[in-house]
Amino acid sequence: MDFNEINSGGSPGEYAWTQEDHDLFSRIINEPGPSSSAVPETAFDVSFAVPHKFSHGTQSAPGQMVERLNHLGLLPDADQPSMTYEIKGHRYTAALDPSSGVRLIHNSPEDQNIGAGPAGLPDFGAFIFETSRRGFPLPEQWAPPALIEKLQETGFMPSPNNTTTIALNGRTYNAELMQGGFVRLRRAG
């Protein structure tokens, strides 16, 4: 079938499809597109490998972490130059840097996953950046804009007369809608 050819005498409906035309059309229609052929990258939970006083953010991977992950074959290399990690509820992309070290890139809030917290509560800890010296969210604080957006997206946004219960890094919090659209977070129990 020549799609560039214009028949001067006849309508398009008069064209008789051949088996070759039918096969070509079926192959084009049934061919997976670029988005459907992409396999989602597996995120490895490597929280066990980070030092006790690890603080979130983009940084070079700590030596202790590199040593532990090297023994398990979980470091990026020439064959796999980047990997996705989950570290204490936060999603990171690990990549080789020019000095042959490993760079941890803290993914944006939009790319963070919501984990499972205590008693099946959704854990939004990846969206909290103010923490105590031990790495836990403060007992009371305001929700940052990224967390408010995620609460709205997932249906956990509190309403004026109804608080919601969520988890932040494994601890239970009540989220309360305040005047002006702000959300106050208070540790429960």
Side-chain angles (χ1 to χ4, degrees):
M1 172 180 204
D2 184 2
F3 291 102
N4 294 321
E5 180 183 324
I6 298 175
N7 283 338
S8 55
S11 68
E14 292 178 349
Y15 181 81
W17 279 51
T18 65
Q19 183 61 41
E20 181 184 17
D21 296 332
H22 180 72
D23 292 344
L24 175 64
F25 180 76
S26 294
R27 191 174 65 224
I28 291 170
I29 295 300
N30 295 323
E31 209 169 67
S35 63
S36 63
S37 63
V39 176
E41 190 171 2
T42 303
F44 298 99
D45 188 348
V46 296
S47 301
F48 68 91
V50 298
H52 181 68
K53 294 185 178 194
F54 179 83
S55 63
H56 291 291
T58 298
Q59 60 191 288
S60 293
Q64 174 185 351
M65 178 183 181
V66 171
E67 187 177 313
R68 287 180 178 177
L69 295 180
N70 185 39
H71 292 295
L72 298 172
L74 292 176
L75 287 177
D77 56 22
D79 293 332
Q80 188 173 2
S82 71
M83 298 181 84
T84 303
Y85 294 153
E86 188 87 17
I87 301 174
K88 297 183 179 182
H90 292 239
R91 190 169 280 257
Y92 284 83
T93 300
L96 292 174
D97 68 12
S99 67
S100 299
V102 176
R103 186 90 178 141
L104 295 175
I105 300 147
H106 190 259
N107 291 6
S108 67
E110 299 80 38
D111 294 335
Q112 298 291 345
N113 282 348
I114 301 168
L121 293 172
D123 196 318
F124 293 92
F127 300 92
I128 292 292
F129 300 107
E130 286 188 54
T131 60
S132 67
R133 284 182 279 188
R134 291 185 180 159
F136 291 108
L138 301 173
E140 185 173 322
Q141 63 181 300
W142 295 103
L147 175 57
I148 292 173
E149 282 182 34
K150 210 51 144 172
L151 290 171
Q152 289 170 336
E153 285 176 19
T154 58
F156 283 92
M157 184 70 176
S159 61
N161 298 319
N162 186 26
T163 61
T164 57
T165 304
I166 61 171
L168 300 173
N169 293 341
R171 297 197 175 181
T172 306
Y173 281 76
N174 290 324
E176 181 181 3
L177 184 63
M178 304 302 288
Q179 189 172 359
F182 297 101
V183 175
R184 180 171 50 194
L185 304 168
R186 289 184 179 175
R187 189 172 298 149

